[in-house]
Amino acid sequence: MKRILAIHIFLLFCIENTFAQSTFIGGLFPTIDHSGTITKNLDYSLYYFGAFPLVNFKNPDISKDANFLLFYSEQALTFNVNKHLSFTGAYVYQRENVTKDNYSNENRVHIQTTYKHSVKTVNLKHRLRFDNRFIHDNTTDKTSYTHRLRYLIGLDFPIKSKKDNLYFTAYEEAFFNTFKNASAVYGENWAYAAIGTKLNDNNKLETGLLYITWNTGGNNWFHQYYLQLTWVSHLDFTKPKQTK
């Protein structure tokens, strides 16, 4: 089953390449994924990343292609109904074309529900999120309101090793615009596959591939391939402090 799931995720990385008239870029995607347990039922989380395209695969010129495409910061609170079901509310600030004159600033509020379960050693996650997006375009000096629905399916499972500290993780997330006059209903897709290393009880490092594609109108798609480096950390404030 593990092999089937891994192959499925890998194929999702490749399927979008069938679209015509596409742009293909590659780069780096440093990420910080921090969370904490406040009470038995309440968690907080902080998620930050930057997207740095370095090369256009069709016409490589790193002097022109290297840029700071996205900055993203998310602050969230989660209520855990039980070990399987949770509800989350979050505020997001995102800036696109960070260092350019045609930048846009987005303030976003989202709500989501997550359901987790396990099949033998494979942990599965289903997440449904609704985004409320307020996007200010610096070029037009106008702010638009849009909304969308997102569905994510993810998994992770341990990898046998001498230290038993390795694991595989992956997810696939589809984005569906729900506002009127959207240029496309299916407007975006993210897919991720990585190997993680548990450093200790509180910290992990993940190295993997992230594939993002945006529908930029008609049959035009913006394909982005990133090497994602993620520091994952967690603190549990419900545990009693150890005394020396």
Side-chain angles (χ1 to χ4, degrees):
M1 181 176 181
K2 292 180 183 178
R3 291 181 179 179
I4 293 173
L5 290 170
I7 291 170
H8 176 68
I9 294 295
F10 175 78
L11 290 175
L12 288 169
F13 271 84
C14 304
I15 194 170
E16 296 296 340
N17 292 338
T18 58
F19 287 98
Q21 300 180 2
S22 299
T23 300
F24 298 84
I25 62 95
L28 297 175
F29 202 93
T31 303
I32 295 174
D33 183 356
H34 173 71
S35 61
T37 301
I38 303 173
T39 68
K40 179 182 177 181
N41 298 104
L42 190 64
D43 295 343
Y44 73 88
S45 60
L46 306 172
Y47 192 76
Y48 304 101
F49 67 71
F52 298 90
L54 298 177
V55 61
N56 184 318
F57 292 127
K58 289 186 177 180
N59 300 294
D61 187 348
I62 196 167
S63 63
K64 296 180 180 179
D65 298 328
N67 67 89
F68 191 175
L69 179 62
L70 284 177
F71 169 74
Y72 178 97
S73 66
E74 175 187 313
Q75 295 72 219
L77 283 175
T78 297
F79 178 76
N80 300 297
V81 179
N82 50 48
K83 66 179 182 179
H84 299 294
L85 181 65
S86 65
F87 295 94
T88 300
Y91 164 74
V92 171
Y93 169 75
Q94 178 178 292
R95 185 179 177 105
E96 186 175 337
N97 296 323
V98 178
T99 58
K100 297 183 178 180
D101 293 334
N102 63 334
Y103 68 84
S104 64
N105 289 323
E106 177 177 346
N107 291 283
R108 184 188 311 168
V109 176
H110 71 240
I111 55 175
Q112 72 182 37
T113 181
T114 303
Y115 182 77
K116 298 179 180 180
H117 62 105
S118 299
V119 179
K120 295 184 179 180
T121 60
V122 179
N123 301 311
L124 295 167
K125 177 172 73 173
H126 306 268
R127 188 180 76 191
L128 192 63
R129 175 181 293 182
F130 185 76
D131 282 336
N132 296 277
R133 310 175 70 196
F134 300 86
I135 306 171
H136 180 78
D137 189 319
N138 184 56
T139 304
T140 63
D141 197 30
K142 293 182 179 180
T143 300
S144 62
Y145 168 68
T146 62
H147 41 83
R148 65 187 178 190
L149 191 64
R150 301 162 53 171
Y151 171 68
L152 177 147
I153 181 170
L155 61 87
D156 67 77
F157 55 80
I159 298 174
K160 291 184 179 180
S161 63
K162 292 181 179 180
K163 296 183 179 180
D164 289 328
N165 64 336
L166 299 179
Y167 61 93
F168 174 82
T169 183
Y171 70 76
E172 155 73 13
E173 184 172 22
F175 296 63
F176 302 97
N177 292 315
T178 52
F179 61 96
K180 291 183 179 180
N181 302 320
S183 59
V185 174
Y186 173 49
E188 193 169 331
N189 195 90
W190 292 48
Y192 174 67
I195 300 297
T197 304
K198 296 179 182 179
L199 303 178
N200 50 46
D201 291 339
N202 298 322
N203 295 280
K204 298 182 287 188
L205 290 177
E206 293 179 6
T207 304
L209 296 176
L210 172 66
Y211 167 60
I212 303 171
T213 186
W214 296 342
N215 187 318
T216 55
N219 291 324
N220 299 317
W221 289 80
F222 182 27
H223 300 285
Q224 305 162 58
Y225 298 86
Y226 294 106
L227 174 63
Q228 181 169 339
L229 307 171
T230 306
W231 172 32
V232 183
S233 64
H234 182 83
L235 296 175
D236 188 345
F237 294 99
T238 65
K239 292 183 177 179
K241 295 181 179 180
Q242 295 182 351
T243 57
K244 295 182 178 180

